[in-house]
Amino acid sequence: MDFVKVEREGSVATLTIDRQDKLNAISPQVVEELGQSLLELESQPPTAIVVTGAGEKAFVAGADIAEMSQMSAVEAKRFAEIGHAAMALLDRSPVPTIAAVNGFALGGGCEIALACDMRIAADNAMFGFPEVGLGILPGMGGTQRLPRLIGSGLASELLFSARRIEAAEAKEMGLVNRVVAQGEALNAAQQLATEISKNGPLAVRYAKAAANKALDVDLVSGLEYEADQFALLFSTEDAAEGMGAFSEKRKPDFKGQ
């Protein structure tokens, strides 16, 4: 991998997009490496994944415009398809994913953050979709995930105006979960990931699957799915351990079984 680095600390994995000379701008290679890294993690899944950008200036400052401007329509379609595949791996990862947003998260960078389950932003973070100002539109899921997250009206404002917003406004909109001091986003995201890892890993996975299902189906179908996942967990050793530990007033020792 030239641009994506994977580190593990305990049961938490951190993926860092490292292309600082280009403010971590994405290209087909960067997106392919991100997708490949996520696929490799599936062989030995962590309990949570943190995604960030190297340095304090940028999470991902969008696409590499110099490279993208040379694409034909066919190449652009392929770039979008690679991006959709990588974002799907992030979005549908069986374990929780957290974006630690430091600095610029524009265009494709904002789309990577949107594909995560949660977003922790440094107070110097800047979000936006500049694509329409370039005569194009977001091509890695931004037009689909943003309205689902913050609603049609606010999403339309950001998508159509190309306006950039600071971390505080992003939190007010519901785009980010939490704003922390500059330089603390990665630490805060990793602490959240560690907190999540203390819970039953199967329960967390099933809860994520159920929450994702809510975005795809009607309420009745979603409730049926939830009930099935709820029941399945009662057949696991983790459920017996968790409820037994509660009764015995001790910390549970989950095995993921």
Side-chain angles (χ1 to χ4, degrees):
M1 299 289 179
D2 294 325
F3 301 121
V4 178
K5 296 177 171 54
V6 181
E7 297 176 303
R8 283 180 180 258
E9 185 171 345
S11 60
V12 174
T14 299
L15 273 63
T16 303
I17 299 170
D18 190 351
R19 198 186 183 199
Q20 291 188 63
D21 60 321
K22 298 284 188 180
L23 293 178
N24 303 326
I26 58 172
S27 64
Q29 181 181 349
V30 173
V31 176
E32 285 181 344
E33 288 187 14
L34 180 60
Q36 184 61 39
S37 298
L38 290 164
L39 281 173
E40 290 177 1
L41 285 176
E42 290 184 356
S43 62
Q44 290 185 307
T47 56
I49 297 171
V50 174
V51 182
T52 194
E56 293 302 322
K57 292 183 178 180
F59 174 69
V60 171
D64 187 332
I65 303 302
E67 183 173 348
M68 193 167 64
S69 66
Q70 303 302 311
M71 292 180 181
S72 66
V74 172
E75 290 169 333
K77 177 68 179 299
R78 177 58 180 155
F79 187 21
E81 290 172 341
I82 293 171
H84 289 167
M87 295 307 99
L89 287 170
L90 192 55
D91 189 358
R92 300 298 171 171
S93 169
V95 303
T97 55
I98 308 167
V101 183
N102 40 314
F104 294 111
L106 305 175
C110 200
E111 289 173 302
I112 292 171
L114 287 173
C116 293
D117 298 312
M118 294 156 278
R119 286 150 292 281
I120 307 295
D123 57 15
N124 72 321
M126 185 75 68
F127 299 85
F129 290 92
E131 285 88 347
V132 293
L134 302 173
I136 57 176
L137 57 76
M140 292 203 329
T143 65
Q144 304 304 302
R145 291 190 175 92
L146 188 63
R148 286 170 166 81
L149 182 64
I150 66 174
S152 177
L154 290 173
S156 296
E157 179 181 343
L158 293 182
L159 292 168
F160 303 163
S161 70
R163 183 169 69 88
R164 297 181 181 186
I165 60 172
E166 296 180 349
E169 187 174 358
K171 184 177 185 301
E172 185 179 345
M173 286 184 173
L175 180 56
V176 301
N177 296 64
R178 192 187 313 168
V179 178
V180 297
Q182 183 176 344
E184 290 299 317
L186 178 57
N187 183 53
Q190 289 175 331
Q191 286 181 351
L192 177 56
T194 299
E195 185 178 338
I196 290 169
S197 71
K198 295 176 182 178
N199 299 308
L202 293 178
V204 171
R205 286 190 181 202
Y206 284 30
K208 174 170 178 175
N212 280 341
K213 181 68 72 173
L215 301 175
D216 299 331
V217 301
D218 60 85
L219 178 60
V220 171
S221 299
L223 289 171
E224 289 178 357
Y225 185 84
E226 178 188 80
D228 288 341
Q229 303 309 297
F230 179 71
L232 281 171
L233 284 169
F234 274 75
S235 67
T236 67
E237 294 177 15
D238 276 2
E241 168 64 14
M243 289 184 280
F246 179 83
S247 299
E248 297 164 13
K249 298 182 180 180
R250 61 176 175 82
K251 290 184 178 181
D253 181 19
F254 293 118
K255 304 295 186 183
Q257 300 174 342

